[in-house]
Amino acid sequence: MKRIALLGATGSIGRQTIEVVESHPGLELVAAASGSQSIEGLAPLTQVGGDLVPLLERARPDVVLNAVVGFAGLPATLWALENGVDLALANKESLVAAGELALAAQRRGGGLLLPVDSEHSAAFQCLEDRPPETVDSLVLTASGGPFRGRARDELQEVTPEEALAHPTWNMGPKITIDSATLANKGLELIEAHFLFGLPYERIEVVVHPSSVVHALVRFRDGAALAHLGYPDMRVPISFALTYPERAATRIPPLDFASGLRLEFHAPDVETFPMLTLARRAGEQHGTYPCAFNAANEVAVAAFLDGRLPFLAIAEVVEETLAAVDGAPARDLDELVEADASARSLAQRSLAVA
Ligand code: NAD
Ligand code: MG
């Protein structure tokens, strides 16, 4: 029996995780947490809001599935890595913000870090633990979101409702907006850098509207391996929770007879500058990725509240990145300080936007 602690149990990933756990006799929920909704009875230990570390200490799970949204997921990520408890990670923001600290904690703890993000789960499977020097480059696919193909001036007036209508994935509101701005792919670029130890110039992003190819790895011998499947998060969730078993799921296999189309294009970085901003923040290292994430969280919340136009999300992030010092964080306190300082700069930039 694998004993699982599920954090963010009421969200999109959380609910799909419950389905996976319920359909697999070898998986058991021992603890669950949500941000605000009641989850009484979902697991022997449950918690709504508050500090998740004491819950994890009490539950002592075999696997933590972290599906909290945003920087709030960081303490749980670090707890699992530090304590050698396997971490199934959906909460990409924690790894983006705290990449170096997280990897150092994992080296000390010695547990597995299994990506739940579909692209990274795909890349992890294509890579099969091969060393980075055998890899030519990693390709992350992006659906392009609801505004793919639009020009900048057509995005002036878009509303949260329009931005929330994602063409291929049904997800929580924050990541859906991130998909519309391409910030999500920017976060994933940084996430991939930390997960797979590849420099940024060897990680490419391509737009692939049908979201069937999740990632692709080009090897130095000229071969490229791709991972395909219908867009359904239960596949990477199940892979991470049952690793290395690759348990059966009820997801239908790919049907080529129905006319699958695999198209790939370069992303339009003029219209969607968040991808370039993320790449630059990643390349600057230090706490620049943390600041990118913090400013994005502030700007997305303001957009969802109707307080900020869609195109100003990238402006707030760009201004914040230009204003932070970006110095590396030696410990969690310094990282939390970098996050807070980026948030207050982003708030200031919101006020004048
Ligand atoms: P969501 O908004 O649907 O759910 C978020 C969950 O986190 C909810 O259960 C909420 O109660 C909980 N939460 C929020 N703040 C919390 C706090 N301070 N403490 C405890 N719990 C808190 O979000 P989602 O779409 O499920 O995404 C969750 C994470 O997974 C995000 O990091 C997202 O980027 C990542 N992810 C999601 C998908 C997807 O398909 N939804 C795909 C890949 C990665
Ligand atoms: Mg993804």
Side-chain angles (χ1 to χ4, degrees):
M1 220 29 154
K2 258 194 203 171
R3 303 167 63 260
I4 293 158
L6 172 59
L7 311 176
T10 53
S12 158
I13 294 290
R15 290 192 309 269
Q16 296 180 82
T17 300
I18 293 168
E19 245 186 80
V20 169
V21 170
E22 282 174 349
S23 66
H24 192 293
L27 302 175
E28 163 185 35
L29 269 194
V30 294
S34 75
S36 54
Q37 263 173 276
S38 163
I39 47 168
E40 228 184 273
L42 183 60
L45 295 171
T46 58
Q47 183 174 312
V48 179
D51 181 359
L52 297 174
V53 166
L55 177 76
L56 294 171
E57 293 277 357
R58 248 184 310 147
R60 285 276 149 190
D62 300 314
V63 184
V64 173
L65 194 143
N66 188 354
V68 171
V69 58
F71 190 75
L74 180 61
T77 287
L78 291 178
W79 181 88
L81 294 172
E82 194 74 60
N83 286 280
V85 174
D86 292 349
L87 174 62
L89 185 66
N91 177 247
K92 64 190 94 188
E93 295 93 341
S94 58
L95 189 60
V96 167
E100 280 94 4
L101 294 179
L103 294 185
Q106 190 199 11
R107 278 192 295 275
R108 291 189 295 268
L112 294 171
L113 172 46
L114 296 161
V116 170
D117 215 349
S118 55
E119 298 76 4
H120 304 72
S121 176
F124 178 89
Q125 294 173 55
C126 294
L127 283 163
E128 285 188 307
D129 255 340
R130 272 184 250 272
E133 60 274 16
T134 65
V135 175
D136 171 67
S137 54
L138 166 63
V139 182
L140 301 174
T141 55
S143 69
F147 305 138
R148 180 177 57 87
R150 294 212 202 173
R152 256 187 101 66
D153 59 359
E154 298 171 286
L155 295 177
Q156 264 349 325
E157 313 270 297
V158 298
T159 62
E161 291 65 40
E162 293 171 274
L164 285 169
H166 195 279
T168 51
W169 293 99
N170 188 359
M171 312 176 287
K174 193 261 179 183
I175 184 175
T176 306
I177 302 306
D178 286 349
S179 301
T181 60
L182 287 199
N184 183 49
K185 221 43 61 174
L187 293 168
E188 291 185 354
L189 176 71
I190 301 171
E191 180 186 14
H193 164 77
F194 286 119
L195 282 171
F196 307 122
L198 290 169
Y200 288 98
E201 69 267 17
R202 283 159 61 201
I203 310 174
E204 186 184 345
V205 170
V206 299
V207 173
H208 168 54
S210 58
S211 303
V212 166
V213 175
H214 302 302
L216 217 143
V217 180
R218 301 189 188 97
F219 290 94
R220 62 181 174 192
D221 60 0
L225 297 188
H227 178 289
L228 283 76
Y230 292 120
D232 190 319
M233 288 308 293
R234 291 171 299 177
V235 177
I237 291 169
S238 177
F239 180 84
L241 291 182
T242 67
Y243 181 81
E245 176 197 338
R246 204 187 268 283
T249 72
R250 295 194 213 108
I251 318 303
L254 276 182
D255 176 8
F256 291 99
S258 68
L260 264 186
R261 288 187 62 181
L262 302 182
E263 268 181 57
F264 302 89
H265 315 274
D268 173 1
V269 291
E270 302 295 312
T271 309
F272 302 100
M274 290 295 267
L275 196 52
T276 308
L277 291 172
R279 188 176 281 280
R280 203 185 303 150
E283 284 167 349
Q284 287 176 300
H285 301 285
T287 48
Y288 283 102
C290 172
F292 173 85
N293 176 67
N296 181 55
E297 286 190 29
V298 168
V300 169
F303 170 69
L304 283 170
D305 264 12
R307 287 183 285 122
L308 190 74
F310 182 78
L311 290 176
I313 296 174
E315 289 164 18
V316 167
V317 172
E318 184 166 18
E319 284 168 21
T320 303
L321 286 169
V324 293
D325 77 8
R330 282 163 298 183
D331 55 28
L332 183 57
D333 288 346
E334 288 188 2
L335 187 81
V336 168
E337 209 177 289
D339 171 78
S341 133
R343 275 170 207 270
S344 80
L345 287 164
Q347 294 289 359
R348 220 175 300 162
S349 144
L350 273 187
V352 297

